[in-house]
Amino acid sequence: MADMRHEVRVEERLKIKIGEAKNLQCRSHGSVGQRDVYCTLTLDQEEIFRTTTIERTLNPFFGEEFQFEVPRKFRYLSVYVYDRDRHLKQDKVLGKVALKREELNSYHNKDHWFLIRPVDADSEVQGKTHIEVKIEPVIKSVDNEQQNSRAVVRLIECSDLTIKNGNCDPFATVTMCYSNGKQETRKTKVKKKTVSPLFDEVLTFELPGLRGQNHDRDTYSIQQEDVEFNELRVSLWHDAPGMSDNVFLGEVRIPLREQQQQQLASTNAWYFLQPRSTKNRPSKSVGNGSGMLGSPSDSLGSLRLKIHYTADHVFPSHVYSQLRSLILQSVHIEPVTSSAAYILGEIVPCKLDAAQPLVRVFMHHGEIVPMIRALAQWEISKVTDANTIFRGNTLVSKMMDEVMRLAGRHYLHNTLRPAIDLVFQERKPCEIDSSRCKDPSIIQTNLANLKEYVEIIFQAITSSALQCPTVMCQLFHDLKELASTHFKDNKEVKYSVISGFIFLRFFAPAILGPKLFDLTTEQIDSQTNRTLTLISKTIQSLGNLVSSRSSQQTFKEEYMVAVHREFYTEKHIEAVRQFLEIISASSNPGHRSLDSPVVLKEGVMIKRAQGRKRFGRKNFKQRYFRLTTQDLTYSKTKGKEPLCSIPLDKILAVERLQEDSFKMKNMFQIVQPERALYIQANNCVEEKEWIDILTKICQRNSNRLKRYHPSAYINGTWLCCRSSNEFEPGCKDVSPGSEAGLQMNLDPDRELQRIHSLFITHMAKVESLKGFFPFYKTERNHRATGGIIRVGEKPVSWCGSQSPDCNNAGRFLLTGSALVSAHKESCECQAVYTGDLCFLPNFVIEDVQSCFKTLTQICEAAYELEQEHRNYLRSLARETKYGSKQAPIGDDNYLLLAASFGRMDNSILRKTCSIPN
């Protein structure tokens, strides 16, 4: 298990929807009843995303969703609420919602209203510090009769401190508090431009009881007091320039009063920085500027959030062999309702939770098309109205959504991005709702603008058929074939079954939320957001043009009728029909041209001038980077001619750059044959995204490096290996590249772990389903008479009688409890299951034997994997030292883990961390 510990990785994924805010405070000046509000999402103190600004309201609705892979450890997920103040030309923070990492699971996948709390500068802390404390005796006389004690404090280093106003120049104050109320303070040197300073300074504090003997006896009165060490306080500060006050970064308080506490403190340990203690804060509140911090009378409003957070311990691939085999067998299980994939989709409340990992596993193993075909065939066979095919949130529809999102990402960008960019550049008004227009005379002009944008996007979509990804074409072909076979007399179903996915669930959502689909990085103002909404509504309706009922299509909004009428022409109908025919014609719709480059990612970053040998401020400049399927370029601003173009086949490696190179965070390097390009991303998430996509598209380069230098070459020396040869081979192995294709970032082991977590979470339902067959004998093939059994449709019972006189032996009893009781008495059979299965009202059992077998295999695989997890966590709790860099003192996650395995005594924790009783 000790060896496996190094192979287990923790993968975290966060999706958060910032819904709306209510009852924000009024301004004290200007437009008192209005604010221009936006929110920022941060990991600790690092901003990751920012919402659109909602103007002139105290109840802003955002409705924006952000999702990302968590690239590093964090303590707090926070959402800050800001007011953009145009008069003062400075944004003001109104408050925040801050959640500890260990609290996120309790809000998982739930809409929740959070109170907005004041932002207190003394509690905005992050990072950890490494401290060594020794309490040792001091001999004060020759005859050893008088002794004193001293504390030797060694402040070694800090890590991940907060950046304040773009800088971090940290220093520390070390204060010893004595039992008589007196204090002594020492100060370290200032470390410039680093969030991980190395101090390595030793500071000594001696008890004041006998210290007077070393001072002037006339000026110092010796009093034999019983003075003891009480508490050691280490505070970190940012050295603010000029006359500004130094900025608090966090503190550590180590109790020293009792001998046991001194023994516990006399170690070399890491500590999490904590907020400033209330008694040490300045008298003036830094909170909201209106009296007591967080006083009940000072309501700041509330914020609605929906958080989806997963953290998985991913084991080596061989650990998942049993579960992997069980999931992949789903393709061949007949009927499909007895497969593990179908059962997983039925037991989870949210179908998307099951669809996402299932799609990734099947795509990695090349089985996604037959799996969706099997599920779709079963679902279509139960549909009586062709207009309702895949219109619900079923497992098939969610799996199709996920396939299109993964495989169609670059196709979506190539098709929609030019048109979306045009909408943002021109920002023409398109409002056609008379109730929203102050001047009715501009409606016709707005209608013309809307028609222009819709026509551009319509042409982009209908002319993109040959670029539709192969896997999507294969699935569209199968769905069309299945629907046409089942509804032989319906000539339009072959179009509607495809348009429902490609228009309604693929293109329209991307137009409505372009930031969510990475189609833009720009902030969306209210007018542009309304324009995108109207375009999306129109594109949804255009997907139904091939329907004979399209001319009678009704709209909730009357103003949309005029737009639809403009596009209900033979030309547009034929264009939609041809587009749907081509993307569903076969598994390969035609030759895909690679002549025109596809934009993969773009944005503003900071680069260091190439070829510069010396470090200097002027070497770093802001540039607009653009990555396509052909090259990486950068220019002064967006739209300008590129200053440099790097062909993708010339990229030898893409790796992170160690912070000590330039004392800057979030830097990475693009290694070329002649030199390396050093780039700083805006935050850690953006850095990871750029590294991932560059590594992925260049990993098959024939000249890709095997080793690289993790630090820069400055002043004639590689900072990592200290070699003076600029062309010295690398000193560290490059990161392993993903073997997945360009369009998909697949990690099958992680997805199998996610599937395991879902099974374990809902294992009670699996066990209850197994209890549905309590007396089932595997050597006998009992089948329900009358065909399909729908669990929960009626009170369901199973007769396990083996008596030849029992007419219901081996059958399900879809009867009331009274009839079941009568049956028990008549056949003297007690083998009748009458459990409650109403928790799965639509679960279908078509074949008892295969369904029971799969349920048994699910339990076996899940319990075996769960035992691996328990052994691993028990080993982790046993081997991880509390106070190490991996588990600093104050780490709540470690405390929870240790407590679950009985590793920690609460009394010790209270003495070590000052935890209240």
Side-chain angles (χ1 to χ4, degrees), residues 485-667:
T485 302
H486 187 69
F487 296 98
K488 295 180 180 179
D489 298 330
N490 191 324
K491 303 301 181 183
E492 297 174 354
V493 70
K494 65 178 182 178
Y495 295 126
S496 62
V497 72
I498 305 168
S499 64
F501 283 112
I502 196 70
F503 282 99
L504 185 65
R505 306 178 81 114
F506 185 62
F507 285 121
I511 297 169
L512 184 63
K515 289 184 70 174
L516 186 61
F517 290 82
D518 295 325
L519 288 171
T520 185
T521 56
E522 297 189 32
Q523 293 297 313
I524 307 176
D525 57 61
S526 56
Q527 177 179 297
T528 305
N529 185 62
R530 178 60 178 167
T531 297
L532 294 173
T533 301
L534 293 171
I535 295 173
S536 179
K537 285 176 175 287
T538 309
I539 291 299
Q540 287 185 40
S541 67
L542 296 185
N544 296 322
L545 284 179
V546 292
S547 170
S548 59
R549 298 186 301 173
S550 180
S551 58
Q552 290 85 37
Q553 186 171 351
T554 58
F555 294 89
K556 294 180 180 178
E557 305 91 350
E558 292 185 5
Y559 56 83
M560 291 299 299
V561 176
V563 185
H564 181 73
R565 189 182 301 117
E566 293 291 334
F567 290 91
Y568 186 67
T569 66
E570 190 60 35
K571 172 187 172 183
H572 291 93
I573 293 173
E574 186 60 27
V576 172
R577 183 179 290 113
Q578 289 180 352
F579 170 72
L580 296 176
E581 286 283 2
I582 293 172
I583 65 173
S584 62
S586 66
S587 61
N588 186 357
H591 177 68
R592 287 159 172 75
S593 174
L594 300 178
D595 293 337
S596 61
V598 178
V599 177
L600 304 178
K601 190 171 180 62
E602 57 186 340
V604 176
M605 294 187 290
I606 296 173
K607 75 160 202 66
R608 181 176 186 255
Q610 299 189 67
R612 296 289 178 90
K613 299 293 191 300
R614 294 184 178 276
F615 174 68
R617 186 178 296 276
K618 293 183 179 179
N619 289 349
F620 291 89
K621 295 183 178 180
Q622 191 178 78
R623 293 289 182 256
Y624 190 84
F625 285 80
R626 184 181 178 91
L627 174 65
T628 71
T629 50
Q630 295 181 356
D631 58 11
L632 172 70
T633 62
Y634 60 80
S635 54
K636 285 190 175 181
T637 57
K638 184 177 181 179
K640 297 291 185 181
E641 285 296 319
L643 299 174
C644 178
S645 174
I646 305 174
L648 296 184
D649 59 358
K650 298 297 183 183
I651 297 179
L652 308 183
V654 182
E655 297 287 344
R656 285 184 170 84
L657 190 70
Q658 290 182 353
E659 185 188 332
D660 61 359
S661 297
F662 302 111
K663 307 296 183 185
M664 298 168 68
K665 297 186 69 175
N666 306 322
M667 289 202 70

Side-chain angles (χ1 to χ4, degrees), residues 334-339 342-343 346 378 382 766 768-773 776 782-793 796-798 812 814 833 837 839-853 855:
E334 291 185 3
V336 73
T337 52
S338 296
S339 67
Y342 173 85
I343 292 173
E346 290 299 309
W378 181 85
K382 304 298 176 285
V766 178
S768 294
L769 282 171
K770 277 188 66 181
F772 191 58
F773 319 104
Y776 177 75
H782 296 297
R783 291 185 179 273
T785 58
I788 295 174
I789 301 302
R790 293 188 179 275
V791 176
E793 187 177 75
V796 181
S797 301
W798 166 263
F812 292 99
L814 305 181
Y833 176 72
L837 288 169
F839 61 87
L840 293 174
N842 299 313
F843 189 83
V844 172
I845 301 171
E846 291 184 288
D847 183 85
V848 175
Q849 183 178 15
S850 58
C851 186
F852 181 76
K853 180 180 179 181
L855 290 169

Side-chain angles (χ1 to χ4, degrees), residues 24 45 97 104 110 128 130 162 184 242 261 327 329 344 366 392 444 541 741 863 900:
L24 299 180
Q45 302 302 309
V97 172
L104 294 178
K110 299 175 184 175
K128 47 196 171 187
H130 192 188
T162 306
E184 283 187 272
Q261 290 178 337
I327 294 298
Q329 286 175 9
L344 179 63
Q444 288 303 314
S541 67
Y863 288 143
S900 64

Side-chain angles (χ1 to χ4, degrees), residues 377-419:
Q377 185 174 12
W378 181 85
E379 185 171 323
I380 290 176
S381 68
K382 304 298 176 285
V383 176
T384 56
D385 184 358
N387 296 314
T388 62
I389 297 180
F390 305 130
R391 294 302 171 125
N393 290 323
T394 63
L395 181 61
V396 177
S397 61
K398 291 300 182 182
M399 289 180 71
M400 280 293 298
D401 290 346
E402 189 64 17
V403 171
M404 292 189 297
R405 193 179 71 82
L406 289 174
R409 181 175 183 270
H410 301 301
Y411 167 55
L412 186 71
H413 284 205
N414 193 30
T415 303
L416 292 184
R417 191 154 196 165

